[in-house]
Amino acid sequence: MNWGLKKLDWYIIKKFLVTFFMALLLLAVIIVIFDVSEKIEDFVRKDAPMKEIFLDYYLGFIPYFMNMYSPMFVFLTVIFFTSKMTQDSEVVAMLSSGISFHRLMVPYLVSAVFIMFLSMGLGMWVIPHQVGRKVDFEQKYIPRMKVKIGHDMHYKLENQF
């Protein structure tokens, strides 16, 4: 399965995808840490089993956020990864060896298409199923704030006098 890509293309694709997934992984860890610290009291109060917390709640939570933030992280990865390659003089060496700038963009496009299909697959098949399990878990273990809806509600916006 070469698809007309050269060894240099596979090198760039591999480094790009590793950088992208590491950035998403770091984001996921940060989001989970903040979410656990926010909801740990609800988990303990309702005696939620650890297995359900991880399999039902966070297995639906992490792919959703990773898929939602993936376009931003593709952009950040392109900037970070290309600047790192430029800093290491890899881009200069490639361009001076006769590779055109347009040819240099082929691995980026291949990586973007791979991420697009991955994101599409997650959005169409994995995330809807997992979010359903997450919602069931939330209804069972995490209390919702009750919003009072009624008539004759008045809000004081600012002091008039």
Side-chain angles (χ1 to χ4, degrees):
M1 264 190 342
N2 194 10
W3 297 323
L5 298 173
K6 299 186 180 346
K7 189 179 259 190
L8 180 63
D9 297 327
W10 288 111
Y11 169 76
I12 292 172
I13 291 168
K14 184 179 112 181
K15 282 184 69 173
F16 181 84
L17 291 176
V18 166
T19 305
F20 172 75
F21 286 115
M22 287 302 293
L24 271 180
L25 182 67
L26 288 173
L27 172 76
V29 167
I30 291 169
I31 287 175
V32 166
I33 287 172
F34 279 105
D35 192 67
V36 165
S37 68
E38 181 180 317
K39 294 194 174 86
I40 190 76
E41 187 177 336
D42 296 329
F43 294 155
V44 171
R45 187 180 306 126
K46 295 278 190 162
D47 291 326
M50 291 295 273
K51 181 181 177 184
E52 286 187 38
I53 292 172
F54 289 117
L55 294 180
D56 292 342
Y57 185 70
Y58 285 111
L59 213 57
F61 184 76
I62 294 170
Y64 171 76
F65 275 101
M66 290 176 75
N67 198 35
M68 184 170 66
Y69 288 116
S70 67
M72 179 181 68
F73 274 90
V74 168
F75 173 70
L76 293 174
T77 302
V78 166
I79 292 172
F80 176 75
F81 172 72
T82 306
S83 66
K84 179 73 172 133
M85 282 182 41
T86 303
Q87 182 182 5
D88 295 341
S89 300
E90 293 179 57
V91 173
V92 173
M94 288 180 228
L95 293 175
S96 65
S97 70
I99 296 175
S100 71
F101 180 73
H102 296 292
R103 178 64 181 94
L104 188 59
M105 293 298 107
V106 169
Y108 288 93
L109 290 173
V110 170
S111 300
V113 167
F114 173 75
I115 292 170
M116 178 202 64
F117 280 120
L118 182 66
S119 181
M120 222 167 59
L122 280 172
M124 289 181 2
W125 292 292
V126 176
I127 293 174
H129 175 68
Q130 291 301 109
V131 167
R133 291 174 61 184
K134 178 183 170 284
V135 168
D136 292 341
F137 178 87
E138 286 176 340
Q139 288 175 350
K140 189 174 181 183
Y141 294 110
I142 300 175
R144 293 277 181 200
M145 290 180 53
K146 293 184 178 157
V147 178
K148 188 175 182 179
I149 300 174
H151 299 354
D152 299 326
M153 295 182 73
H154 303 281
Y155 297 100
K156 182 177 180 181
L157 298 176
E158 62 182 46
N159 285 333
Q160 298 281 334
F161 303 101

